[in-house]
Amino acid sequence: MKIIVLLKRVPDTEAKILINQEGTGIRKDGVKFVINTYDEYGIEEGLKLKEKLGGDSKVTVFCLGPEESTEVIRTALAMGADDAVHICDPALESPAPFTTSAVLAKAIKDEGFDIIFCGKQGIDDDTAQVQGGIAEALGIPQVNIASSFELSEDGSRALIGRRIEGGNEKIESALPVIVTCDKGINEPRYASLPGIMKAKKKEIRTRTLADLGFDEMPAAGRSKILKWLPLPKGGECRMVEAEEVSDAVKELARLLREEAKII
Amino acid sequence: MTVEGIVLVVLFAATLVVFGFVVRMLIRTLLLGKPQGGFGDPLRRFWSVIVHVAGQARVLSQPAGLGHFLIFWGFIFITLGTIEHMLGMIIPGFSYTAIFGSAVAGWISLLQDLLALLVLFAIIYSLYRRFIIRPVRLKIDDPAARNEAVFILSLIFILILLMYCIKAIGIVEGTIDESYAPVSRIVSGLFEGRDIDLGLMESVFAWIHHLIIFFFLLYVPFSKHIHILGAIPNIYLRNLGPMGTLSRMDFEDETADKFGNSELRDFTWKQLLDLYACTECGRCQAACPAFLTDKPLSPFRMIHRMRGHLTDERKRLLNSAGDDIEGTPIIPETVTEDEIWACTTCGACMQECPPFIEHVQKIVDLRRYLVMTESRFPSEMQPVFKNMEVNYNPWSMGYSTRADWAEGLDIPLASEKKEFDVLFWVGCSGSFDARGQNISRALSSLLKKAEVDFAILGTEEICCGETARRMGNEYLAQTLIEANIETMKKYSFNRILTFCPHGLNTFRVEYPQFGFERPVIHHSEFLLELVREGRLPAGAVEIKKGAYHDSCYLGRYNDIIDQPRELIKMIDGVSLSEFGRHGKRSFCCGAGGGRMWMEEDIGKRINEERVDESLELGVGDIFTACPFCLTMFEDGLKSRNIENIKVLDIAELMVEAYSAE
Ligand SMILES: Cc1cc2nc3c(=O)[nH]c(=O)nc-3n(C[C@H](O)[C@H](O)[C@H](O)COP(=O)(O)OP(=O)(O)OC[C@H]3O[C@@H](n4cnc5c(N)ncnc54)[C@H](O)[C@@H]3O)c2cc1C
Ligand code: SF4
Ligand code: SF4
């Protein structure tokens, strides 16, 4: 079985995020990059499936990202993935989700696939758009926010659990399917040292847009990031003080009407 | 030679041959282990054998050790008598009197007579301890351990009774001078004037006695009394360097598929010799914070079980040619995961152990295998490792915020200063933990006041690697250590100052393994130095009563025991009380060995045990010199709902003394 896992390189959750001066992205100095937390669940699920199936099942990592992404790709390989495809092109400096989807979908299609695991969202942009785009482009079903996964006995269908309000939902899907993983679906493993050593020798195939057969930016017109802006500073808090509560209420009403102009 | 003599010689020779084979087998078993060298300095080693074997220094450090001391020396003198008697049977007319003269022989006889009596009492007392008192020290879940001890003690007891009888008969027959055998003389009353064949009786007693001795020789290597063979070489070969220094692993071989120890052959031969050396005295467990708080770990039990495992495995391993046979994993049958994760690496066990067995390295070796090869460890450790990898600290804090505590304090950075006297190593706790940061600020204000030429590394500093190392993640630890060394090498300074005993220990004894050696000083030593030089006044506080708690890595590991106390005593108004367990025998706070980062859900919490001790003794406030001890005390007091007891680092105490002025 050809198992595909997606991996996005994101700033560490503890990193101090500042927007660069031009407003085209975040400042990268002082920021450490890691595997998107939710993608770790996807990787683990892919590895578990491979271990269960045995035979010639194979887990391939797909990552679209800058050159430095090889570091996080190696981590996934150290966890046990077999090889990786790294899509890296200067033109993809900060692609919109549609573009990412289109590029990844093409690369995955070229490679061949039976199932795709990924995270439910990137912990950086939180758009949760890429998976949907890939499913569309490949014409396969997509099950989101999975909390459990197994194959049917005959191995022909996927049985996916989802936590919904007040209960659990079981979804049966045809293969191939793209499954986006939620926290709790598994406990991602810690790469063992022999795993780390082996990962150094595993193959990472680099692909540019041209390699994938794109002569122009795919889905370029569909959406575009115009500018990155910091969150506006939170307003300040003012205490209304008075001897009598009724006076305070009156003063508050006056402030709301005259200064804040909201009533 | 008499027929009796010939039979004795034959039997003795046969016993020796068998014994020789057994010893050869034991040595071959040891050699199943990995090589280990570094046993130079023979003079110090001989001296250590004299102090610890002949003098039984560690054995005698506890009152019950007197029993062992007596049995040890008693047995030696009894053996002198045995040799004389055996030679007498072989060479007609042989006796010490004939050889050394009556004076020397008399003294040997006298000492033998008196010591043997003391040994009898010692044995009765040991049996009393084992059956009636049943101290914590001797508690073990394997009844065979106690039965063996009782069996051996009873044999020695019988040997002594036989010896007295033989000598008593000698007195009656006039071959032994009764004035040098007061106890035997009393016993001789039993035989005086009886109508029995004393000669026959003596020879029956002698034969039983000698056969027991031969039996003993062959039984010892298969019992806990193998320590008679193992302890002496083990003491000679003991670690003369700093305690608990972990071995450096080599990651050069990228094709290796195993790191750390999973089976016996992964240990060095010296580590296997440790197993032969254990006297099963239980001193280690009686000092072990994990054992004393009902965790599954007992260092005594661990060594006992590992030796049992060695006995079970050796035949199979010795018969196999080379490496092609799989060793039985030590975990989980012999030692469980819960056991090895319960260890705080406090070193109390090693501090007590009479034959100098090293438990911590073994525990860490087993951890190394689980962590690095199997990725199997308590789940709460994973984020800790990841945080250390990504943000270079065990807390989940962004690495770029490492120097935030220093904001606005105008603390010089190494990157700006380049050359300075003292590098203030802040450490992870000092950088990220709220109380730790407070100590960092306190100490830097003192340094400024004393006009010390110092600097911090700021965000260039990363975790020192000590915790990762003791948690078994040697690979991660080495990454951190090497990066730190790179950074430190960029600057020129004379010494490293730190208030974290873990950092102190690792810089002192472990960084040199990686080619970086620099004097390291703890803030307790440094502040004392500053006060003594008159660069800092000692100050005064309003009357404060408190006890100083020795951190394991400061007191036990690095012998810094008096300095913090002296410093505290210099502050006017402080009256210093003491914990019962203090100094080298201090009781761990529960945070070491990475335990700070693990759940503690089995048994009583170690920090609560220590807090309870402080409350029972009514020691007052707690003064610490380790940020981890401080946290553990604060947590312990919180869980006991105690609000009126303060926990202060000595630097905070000093700052308080100034502000009170
Ligand atoms: C700071 C920063 C700098 C970047 N610089 C570059 C650059 O120079 N060049 C470049 O080519 N790319 C770069 N990228 C990557 C690119 O911006 C993102 O991949 C894309 O924007 C993902 O969109 P998203 O956040 O909406 O993902 P989401 O839709 O939220 O992600 C959902 C899931 O889709 C999958 N997924 C999303 N993105 C990827 C991906 N890239 N690869 C594999 N699986 C993915 C993951 O499984 C993820 O959990 C950069 C990203 C960041 C954060
Ligand atoms: S180091 Fe401390 S916790 Fe570990 S076994 Fe020894 S005494 Fe027990
Ligand atoms: S390991 Fe040392 S202290 Fe512990 S029982 Fe054995 S000899 Fe005694």
Side-chain angles (χ1 to χ4, degrees):
Chain A
M1 196 171 205
K2 276 196 157 167
I3 303 163
I4 308 293
V5 295
L6 303 186
L7 184 169
K8 186 182 186 187
R9 176 179 182 262
V10 298
D12 173 50
T13 30
E14 306 308 328
K16 232 193 267 176
I17 303 293
L18 296 170
I19 288 170
N20 65 20
Q21 261 182 337
E22 306 81 47
T24 54
I26 64 161
R27 282 177 55 174
K28 294 183 186 173
D29 52 309
V31 174
K32 295 278 291 181
F33 288 86
V34 295
I35 299 180
N36 176 29
T37 320
Y38 293 108
D39 287 349
E40 288 189 7
Y41 299 111
I43 297 168
E44 178 63 34
E45 211 48 44
L47 295 175
K48 274 171 61 183
L49 182 60
K50 174 189 150 163
E51 282 160 5
K52 189 154 175 228
L53 293 173
D56 53 1
S57 292
K58 184 174 151 195
V59 176
T60 304
V61 178
F62 276 75
C63 175
L64 181 157
E67 247 174 69
E68 302 83 41
S69 309
T70 43
E71 203 181 312
V72 285
I73 295 175
R74 291 271 175 228
T75 308
L77 295 175
M79 286 170 77
D82 297 284
D83 56 2
V85 175
H86 178 196
I87 303 150
C88 184
D89 193 313
L92 292 168
E93 167 74 41
S94 63
F98 281 125
T99 305
T100 307
S101 306
V103 176
L104 282 169
K106 178 66 176 38
I108 292 170
K109 199 166 178 181
D110 287 355
E111 182 79 16
F113 62 98
D114 294 307
I115 189 159
I116 306 173
F117 291 104
C118 65
K120 71 167 173 137
Q121 72 196 89
I123 57 158
D124 49 354
D125 307 330
D126 284 320
T127 65
Q129 297 294 301
V130 171
Q131 321 90 328
I134 294 174
E136 273 307 296
L138 296 175
I140 57 168
Q142 172 193 7
V143 181
N144 279 336
I145 322 185
S147 56
S148 72
F149 173 87
E150 58 185 333
L151 278 188
S152 63
E153 293 226 340
D154 63 353
S156 68
R157 301 179 78 74
L159 307 170
I160 299 146
R162 298 179 75 240
R163 268 191 292 269
I164 52 170
E165 254 201 66
N168 285 304
E169 171 175 75
K170 268 257 172 304
I171 291 179
E172 194 178 317
S173 161
L175 292 175
V177 59
I178 178 164
V179 181
T180 83
C181 302
D182 194 7
K183 186 179 168 150
I185 187 169
N186 54 42
E187 293 275 346
R189 67 195 63 188
Y190 184 74
S192 73
L193 193 48
I196 294 171
M197 300 284 190
K198 275 189 217 125
K200 292 184 186 167
K201 294 195 186 72
K202 286 180 180 169
E203 186 193 18
I204 301 179
R205 299 186 289 279
T206 312
R207 298 274 183 276
T208 59
L209 281 177
D211 293 339
L212 293 170
F214 293 107
D215 10 292
E216 55 179 40
M217 184 71 92
R222 309 229 358 222
S223 70
K224 197 167 162 195
I225 297 165
L226 296 178
K227 197 168 173 60
W228 294 55
L229 296 166
L231 280 177
K233 269 233 164 78
E236 56 194 271
C237 171
R238 244 164 85 187
M239 298 297 290
V240 179
E241 288 183 49
E243 295 269 308
E244 292 292 320
V245 176
S246 54
D247 293 340
V249 172
K250 268 186 218 146
E251 174 63 4
L252 179 62
R254 189 190 67 77
L255 285 172
L256 287 174
R257 181 160 51 223
E258 290 173 14
E259 279 191 24
K261 299 193 168 62
I262 53 169
I263 51 172
Chain B
M1 208 189 293
T2 57
V3 180
E4 216 181 20
I6 294 170
V7 175
L8 189 71
V9 169
V10 171
L11 270 181
F12 184 58
T15 309
L16 272 189
V17 169
V18 178
F19 183 72
F21 273 106
V22 172
V23 169
R24 178 170 162 269
M25 183 272 292
L26 293 176
I27 292 174
R28 282 181 62 214
T29 309
L30 289 184
L31 294 178
L32 287 170
K34 297 223 146 66
Q36 182 182 336
F39 301 109
D41 211 348
L43 283 183
R44 252 183 94 194
R45 292 187 180 282
F46 275 119
W47 179 241
S48 135
V49 170
I50 291 176
V51 173
H52 292 285
V53 179
Q56 306 250 304
R58 279 193 172 184
V59 175
L60 284 172
S61 72
Q62 283 183 17
L66 187 61
H68 185 272
F69 181 83
L70 288 175
I71 296 177
F72 173 82
W73 277 106
F75 199 79
I76 287 182
F77 274 90
I78 293 163
T79 309
L80 283 182
T82 309
I83 294 172
E84 179 186 20
H85 195 276
M86 285 188 185
L87 288 176
M89 279 167 78
I90 298 166
I91 311 163
F94 176 92
S95 72
Y96 287 159
T97 318
I99 301 209
F100 306 118
S102 55
V104 175
W107 274 103
I108 294 178
S109 164
L110 182 65
L111 271 172
Q112 192 187 70
D113 226 58
L114 294 176
L115 272 173
L117 187 66
L118 291 176
V119 173
L120 283 187
F121 286 126
I123 290 175
I124 292 169
Y125 179 66
S126 336
L127 293 174
Y128 175 71
R129 278 186 83 220
R130 281 187 162 78
F131 285 99
I132 314 289
I133 309 183
R134 293 165 179 260
V136 197
R137 224 178 87 175
L138 296 173
K139 212 158 97 186
I140 185 158
D141 57 5
D142 180 3
R146 187 179 75 178
N147 295 347
E148 229 174 46
V150 171
F151 178 62
I152 299 271
L153 287 174
S154 316
L155 279 188
I156 300 178
F157 198 87
I158 294 170
L159 282 178
I160 293 177
L161 294 185
L162 288 167
M163 180 205 84
Y164 277 133
C165 291
I166 294 167
K167 282 178 88 176
I169 293 175
I171 291 174
V172 176
E173 290 186 327
T175 52
I176 286 178
D177 183 352
E178 60 170 31
S179 48
Y180 288 106
V183 184
S184 306
R185 193 179 60 199
I186 298 168
V187 179
S188 68
L190 283 176
F191 304 100
E192 202 106 38
R194 291 200 188 217
D195 184 20
I196 32 178
D197 182 347
L198 285 181
L200 178 69
M201 192 164 225
E202 194 220 333
S203 107
V204 170
F205 285 157
W207 271 107
I208 299 176
H209 182 276
H210 299 344
L211 287 176
I212 290 180
I213 295 270
F214 294 162
F215 169 76
F216 206 79
L217 212 52
L218 299 183
Y219 174 74
V220 153
F222 299 97
S223 73
K224 76 157 214 164
H225 276 71
I226 191 175
H227 79 259
I228 297 175
L229 302 175
I232 301 173
N234 211 55
I235 290 174
Y236 179 82
L237 296 166
R238 79 186 172 93
N239 172 19
L240 292 176
M243 134 193 261
T245 308
L246 299 179
S247 66
R248 178 195 163 151
M249 284 180 79
D250 185 359
F251 298 115
E252 292 290 288
D253 180 11
E254 296 202 343
T255 57
D257 53 7
K258 181 173 165 185
F259 299 90
N261 298 7
S262 68
E263 55 138 317
L264 285 167
R265 286 174 300 178
D266 298 330
F267 291 91
T268 71
W269 66 269
K270 167 65 180 62
Q271 286 182 302
L272 297 182
L273 179 62
D274 269 3
L275 306 181
Y276 290 160
C278 176
T279 66
E280 310 219 327
C281 67
R283 284 175 161 78
C284 50
Q285 81 175 11
C288 172
F291 180 78
L292 293 176
T293 55
D294 301 325
K295 310 284 185 292
L297 170 67
S298 146
F300 164 21
R301 182 177 178 278
M302 181 182 90
I303 299 293
H304 172 78
R305 296 201 38 107
M306 281 178 73
R307 199 191 58 219
H309 180 64
L310 183 68
T311 311
D312 297 342
E313 277 276 277
R314 66 184 168 208
K315 197 163 167 208
R316 205 167 66 83
L317 294 181
L318 286 175
N319 289 343
S320 83
D323 268 337
D324 48 5
I325 153 169
E326 289 254 330
T328 314
I330 289 172
I331 290 176
E333 300 297 325
T334 305
V335 181
T336 63
E337 286 182 41
D338 278 345
E339 279 175 73
I340 65 154
W341 291 118
C343 176
T344 68
T345 70
C346 73
C349 47
M350 304 193 288
Q351 171 73 30
E352 295 303 325
C353 182
F356 292 86
I357 288 165
E358 295 194 280
H359 310 76
V360 171
Q361 177 78 52
K362 291 185 192 67
I363 290 174
V364 173
D365 283 336
L366 291 168
R367 287 181 174 187
R368 283 174 170 176
Y369 174 76
L370 288 184
V371 169
M372 290 189 292
T373 308
E374 300 254 304
S375 292
R376 218 164 72 218
F377 42 78
S379 60
E380 63 271 19
M381 281 165 59
Q382 187 155 337
V384 178
F385 288 151
K386 290 218 161 164
N387 289 328
M388 291 193 219
E389 278 163 20
V390 176
N391 284 308
Y392 314 126
N393 69 78
W395 275 270
S396 59
M397 300 278 205
Y399 83 99
S400 60
T401 62
R402 193 169 187 104
D404 285 8
W405 66 271
E407 233 157 71
L409 298 179
D410 193 23
I411 292 174
L413 278 174
S415 54
E416 288 159 5
K417 239 180 161 175
K418 308 270 195 270
E419 262 178 55
F420 39 89
D421 180 27
V422 174
L423 174 71
F424 170 22
W425 185 273
V426 183
C428 292
S429 179
S431 302
F432 297 106
D433 177 71
R435 275 308 294 278
Q437 291 176 334
N438 200 46
I439 306 173
S440 302
R441 285 189 282 263
L443 181 56
S444 30
S445 78
L446 295 171
L447 296 178
K448 287 190 146 193
K449 197 166 181 138
E451 294 175 355
V452 175
D453 174 22
F454 77 105
I456 61 169
L457 288 173
T459 53
E460 279 190 296
E461 181 187 294
I462 68 174
C463 179
C464 67
E466 191 265 353
T467 308
R469 211 162 188 218
R470 280 165 178 72
M471 287 167 114
N473 202 335
E474 176 76 3
Y475 185 69
L476 172 56
Q478 289 196 11
T479 322
L480 299 170
I481 292 171
E482 272 156 15
N484 274 323
I485 292 179
E486 277 299 294
T487 310
M488 288 194 280
K489 277 189 175 160
K490 293 195 294 189
Y491 305 114
S492 145
F493 55 91
N494 301 318
R495 45 186 177 170
I496 303 176
L497 163 71
T498 175
F499 62 80
C500 178
H502 297 266
L504 173 103
N505 186 64
T506 202
F507 289 135
R508 251 189 201 174
V509 306
E510 298 184 333
Y511 273 53
Q513 295 175 338
F514 300 87
F516 184 84
E517 229 159 319
R518 210 49 72 85
V520 195
I521 188 165
H522 188 248
H523 75 322
S524 59
E525 302 171 282
F526 194 63
L527 291 174
L528 184 66
E529 191 180 300
L530 293 177
V531 174
R532 282 195 177 144
E533 285 171 4
R535 293 167 69 185
L536 270 184
V541 287
E542 277 179 46
I543 304 300
K544 226 185 194 84
K545 183 185 169 212
Y548 171 73
H549 160 85
D550 292 274
S551 136
C552 303
Y553 279 82
L554 202 59
R556 198 148 41 233
Y557 276 75
N558 283 289
D559 227 345
I560 301 175
I561 292 170
D562 299 332
Q563 297 89 324
R565 289 182 169 76
E566 274 174 47
L567 187 71
I568 296 169
K569 283 192 218 146
M570 283 181 168
I571 301 172
D572 263 348
V574 181
S575 95
L576 196 60
S577 49
E578 277 291 0
F579 275 96
R581 299 178 273 197
H582 64 263
K584 290 246 175 207
R585 284 190 162 152
S586 180
F587 190 76
C588 182
C589 70
R595 289 286 333 158
M596 170 89 182
W597 310 103
M598 297 179 219
E599 303 288 345
E600 190 176 345
D601 38 25
I602 312 178
K604 184 178 180 182
R605 294 180 61 93
I606 294 176
N607 59 339
E608 290 173 7
E609 164 77 14
R610 187 61 161 167
V611 162
D612 290 347
E613 183 183 350
S614 77
L615 297 175
E616 266 163 41
L617 293 172
V619 296
D621 288 343
I622 312 286
F623 307 131
T624 59
C626 168
F628 292 99
C629 297
L630 185 141
T631 304
M632 294 314 266
F633 266 104
E634 289 220 310
D635 288 354
L637 286 167
K638 229 173 267 163
S639 65
R640 289 282 179 269
N641 288 320
I642 307 274
E643 279 164 12
N644 58 349
I645 290 182
K646 276 212 262 177
V647 191
L648 284 174
D649 182 87
I650 48 170
E652 294 176 317
L653 183 68
M654 284 200 71
V655 167
E656 201 180 309
Y658 293 138
S659 10
E661 263 186 352

